[in-house]
Amino acid sequence: MMADTVVRQGTWVSVCRVDQLSVDVGVAALVGGEQVAVFRLDVKEIRAIGNLDPYSRAHILSRGIVGSRGEAVFVASPMYKQPFDLRTGQCLDDPAVRVPTFEVRVIDGAVQVLAPPDKQTRDG
């Protein structure tokens, strides 16, 4: 195996149709028992992060406002406004805090999120 080859493990879970997502508006989905916030950033780019805001401990990041700071595209938590980079999960105001990120793909118009092996669904 080549060093730059990515081995994906887990189960791809369909969460919605790509045409159901509005640009810069998040939706929440249950993926392998975990709440995930899914965002369509433009016609081709879709990102997914954990929906749990680590500051308020509420599952609300899918309801945040999408913005940008430099090269980073983020969602600001609707509770305390901390911005989380949608590509890395890093909190832009506190480098010690991050939320999980999830791989996303679109297959035949269906948005799919990769549930890690320990979060696989029973029917997957």
Side-chain angles (χ1 to χ4, degrees), residues 8 14 22 26 38 42 50 54 63-64 76 80 92 96 105 107 118:
R8 290 179 177 89
S14 293
S22 298
V38 180
D42 58 34
R63 296 180 177 266
Y80 298 123
L92 299 179
R105 69 182 184 184
I107 301 292
D118 59 338

Side-chain angles (χ1 to χ4, degrees), residues 12-23:
W12 288 101
V13 178
S14 293
V15 296
C16 65
R17 305 275 316 151
V18 71
D19 58 8
Q20 294 175 304
L21 296 176
S22 298
V23 173

